[in-house]
Amino acid sequence: MPKKTVSFRTFGCKQNRYDTDFLRESFERKGFVVAEDDADVVVINTCAVTARSAQKCRQAIRAAARRGAKVVVTGCYPQIASDEVKEIPGVIAVSGVRERSRLADLVLEALETGAPVVEVKPHVAGEEFEETEVQQPDLTRAFLKIQEGCGDYCTYCIVPYARGPSRSRSPESVIREAERLVQRGYKEIVLTGTHIGLYGEGNLPRLVEEVGRIEGLIRLRISSLEPHDVTPELLDCLRLPNVCHHLHLPLQSGSDRILRMMGRRYDVALFMDIVGRARRVAPDLGLTTDIIAGFPGETEEDFRESLTVAREAGFSRIHAFKYSVRPGTRAAAFEDKVPEKVKEERVSALISLGRELSGAFHRRLVGRDFEVLVEDDREKDGLLAGFTRNYVRCRFSGEDDLKGKVISVTVQEAGPLDVTGSARR
Ligand code: 5AD
């Protein structure tokens, strides 16, 4: 019998990208052949952070099923709504965010018996970190998962229900995987997790330092952090030569009243204080954020504060989210919901402010030299591209031998999405 082919689609966060990398390899080990598309089996690694993310996943599931594929659905969406998922025609296996290591076996079982398999384990207190390892991530950049879960229960957020309680991977295991990735030639590692500030109960700075010391690791990036997790020790990590001068600090709102209703653990003053301290360590810091528009009770005044604070913080990029009711969260029961039309207007305002601020941040780089880690794939127009240490995408012309290297680029032009420049030899 010819081997079964499998393809993968990933929605949502960087952690999901890591999980998919792992799943791809575990399916290969079980005898599947990984295909780009038109595979017999399609595995969809889902996101459920907003109603729209769940809807996009449903569309992808239906589209794959229409093509005649057998669909496997895993990740956050089935974890919170397995019944909804298993009813979709074409779905042969459903699993949540636990026991990823068994998914390939479950799929083989479903294929053999013809009976759909549903295996969504509820989260439990004291749940352990599920050890998984990735050999061959798919880019110059490797994501490395160090932590999973969150127990903060911000009032709008479904993630603690989907990902369960916080659990951390042991430092030894993180270092082992990081060393292996570097040996395989990966130049950049991104430390990811649901809420990595919770890593080992205050041990993130130590871990960053240890991974940062690995010989041959050119870049180490820390993914999203909660503002209150940015301790002086963590800011010190930005002084290490290979740690990227980029922080993603979700502001969510610029109104203290809304932040309190969201159950966030900082106020605007603390947020700005952290930003100031980070900029003193890294003056060119790339600072990106998430902001939610239209949280229940958000007035025009509250929203204007979000715009004002975003300007003051000088974000290099804003991810704007329209508030989405997530059943089961506390905010789902909050009165005073903002009308859909108003939410949409506010999201548009955030998006245009985001573009303006990105452009302004990029213009400040013009005329200066930056180190760029050159990626393997060329742009559509034939240019090479890569990221600067402060996470700005930079495009320039050059030969293939620059791929995978760090080179110095003089920035010449700034756009809203990236900058262009010329490589110095
Ligand atoms: N509605 C809108 N955006 C949300 N996010 C999380 N939950 C919701 C929700 N219910 C956004 C937050 C978070 C990002 C990953 O998703 O801004 O930082």
Side-chain angles (χ1 to χ4, degrees):
M1 210 171 65
K3 282 187 171 179
K4 284 267 179 243
T5 54
V6 64
S7 68
F8 293 83
R9 274 204 72 183
T10 311
F11 289 85
C13 63
K14 297 194 168 85
Q15 198 186 158
N16 266 4
R17 308 246 302 253
Y18 175 89
D19 289 335
T20 302
D21 285 340
F22 166 76
L23 289 174
R24 190 179 294 113
E25 289 170 15
S26 70
F27 274 68
E28 264 174 341
R29 279 195 296 274
K30 295 288 173 182
F32 286 88
V33 174
V34 175
E36 280 301 313
D37 35 38
D38 281 337
D40 308 318
V41 176
V42 175
V43 179
I44 301 187
N45 192 4
T46 58
C47 172
V49 73
T50 61
R52 198 175 135 69
S53 357
Q55 186 200 0
K56 278 199 223 151
C57 294
R58 276 196 304 276
Q59 281 166 355
I61 298 167
R62 294 220 174 83
R66 264 198 307 275
R67 252 198 35 235
K70 296 187 163 57
V71 186
V72 177
V73 188
T74 185
C76 287
Y77 181 30
Q79 187 73 43
I80 58 159
S82 60
D83 287 346
E84 213 170 285
V85 175
K86 72 173 191 240
E87 301 303 328
I88 306 176
V91 172
I92 62 150
V94 178
S95 78
V97 310
R98 304 186 60 188
E99 303 197 71
R100 296 180 181 91
S101 318
R102 283 180 56 220
L103 186 59
D105 279 329
L106 294 177
V107 172
L108 285 173
E109 187 187 312
L111 288 171
E112 204 175 289
T113 62
V117 181
V118 179
E119 180 96 6
V120 179
K121 289 209 156 192
H123 289 293
V124 293
E127 192 172 319
E128 293 205 346
F129 186 85
E130 184 184 5
E131 281 288 332
T132 55
E133 219 165 76
V134 167
Q135 312 284 330
Q136 311 243 318
D138 54 3
L139 294 162
T140 351
R141 186 176 307 125
F143 297 97
L144 201 171
K145 188 162 83 173
I146 62 171
Q147 180 273 350
E148 180 158 10
C150 179
D152 274 7
Y153 291 95
C154 297
T155 60
Y156 52 82
C157 190
I158 194 75
V159 169
Y161 306 89
R163 289 278 172 171
S166 175
R167 48 228 188 254
S168 300
R169 184 171 185 173
S170 72
E172 299 74 37
S173 164
V174 174
I175 303 290
R176 214 180 318 125
E177 183 163 23
E179 280 174 347
R180 198 163 304 155
L181 289 168
V182 173
Q183 273 160 22
R184 270 175 214 271
Y186 289 91
K187 305 288 189 301
E188 175 172 338
I189 289 180
V190 187
L191 299 180
T192 66
T194 317
H195 179 166
I196 59 173
L198 298 174
Y199 179 79
E201 281 142 30
N203 273 328
L204 182 63
R206 274 249 301 277
L207 186 78
V208 171
E209 231 172 84
E210 278 180 46
V211 176
R213 269 205 300 269
I214 295 174
E215 210 30 64
L217 177 59
I218 294 175
R219 288 225 171 131
L220 177 58
R221 207 178 283 283
I222 309 168
S223 69
S224 186
L225 283 172
E226 291 295 295
H228 53 274
D229 293 329
V230 184
T231 57
E233 293 75 31
L234 199 76
L235 288 178
D236 274 341
C237 292
L238 297 177
R239 299 180 204 276
L240 297 171
N242 50 2
V243 171
C244 289
H245 285 178
H246 170 230
L247 291 176
H248 183 81
L249 303 180
L251 171 66
Q252 311 299 9
S253 169
S255 152
D256 284 340
R257 198 177 68 82
I258 297 294
L259 287 174
R260 263 197 311 280
M261 293 210 300
M262 287 176 160
R264 303 290 287 165
R265 296 165 186 215
Y266 55 88
D267 57 14
V268 170
L270 179 62
F271 189 92
M272 292 308 294
D273 178 57
I274 290 162
V275 170
R277 282 190 285 135
R279 288 238 156 86
R280 281 197 286 282
V281 181
D284 283 321
L285 183 79
L287 181 65
T288 53
T289 199
D290 298 340
I291 300 177
I292 300 177
F295 183 80
E298 185 186 70
T299 62
E300 270 306 315
E301 178 57 31
D302 291 318
F303 179 65
R304 268 200 303 275
E305 287 179 348
S306 290
L307 298 177
T308 308
V309 175
R311 247 178 222 291
E312 277 170 20
F315 292 123
S316 56
R317 185 164 177 178
I318 297 175
H319 295 252
F321 291 84
K322 187 169 75 166
Y323 172 70
S324 164
V325 179
R326 308 309 288 131
T329 59
R330 270 188 291 157
F334 289 0
E335 310 265 313
D336 223 0
K337 296 269 190 314
V338 175
E340 200 59 24
K341 196 164 157 285
V342 177
K343 287 199 281 189
E344 272 159 19
E345 282 165 13
R346 292 182 186 169
V347 164
S348 308
L350 277 175
I351 293 173
S352 34
L353 176 64
R355 279 207 202 101
E356 181 194 326
L357 295 180
S358 301
F361 185 78
H362 294 161
R363 278 194 297 279
R364 287 212 306 270
L365 312 182
V366 172
R368 296 169 54 197
D369 295 346
F370 288 89
E371 309 254 278
V372 173
L373 173 54
V374 187
E375 288 172 9
D376 276 338
D377 293 333
R378 279 181 186 274
E379 301 280 286
K380 281 199 194 77
D381 56 9
L383 292 182
L384 287 173
F387 282 93
T388 60
R389 191 178 174 200
N390 58 354
Y391 206 51
V392 172
R393 202 168 167 76
C394 180
R395 297 154 13 91
F396 54 93
S397 66
E399 301 297 323
D400 276 349
D401 63 339
L402 298 180
K403 290 177 177 178
K405 296 207 173 96
V406 173
I407 60 156
S408 182
V409 177
T410 311
V411 173
Q412 288 161 328
E413 263 177 68
L417 298 176
D418 53 24
V419 298
T420 43
S422 67
R424 289 162 49 111
R425 282 281 184 166

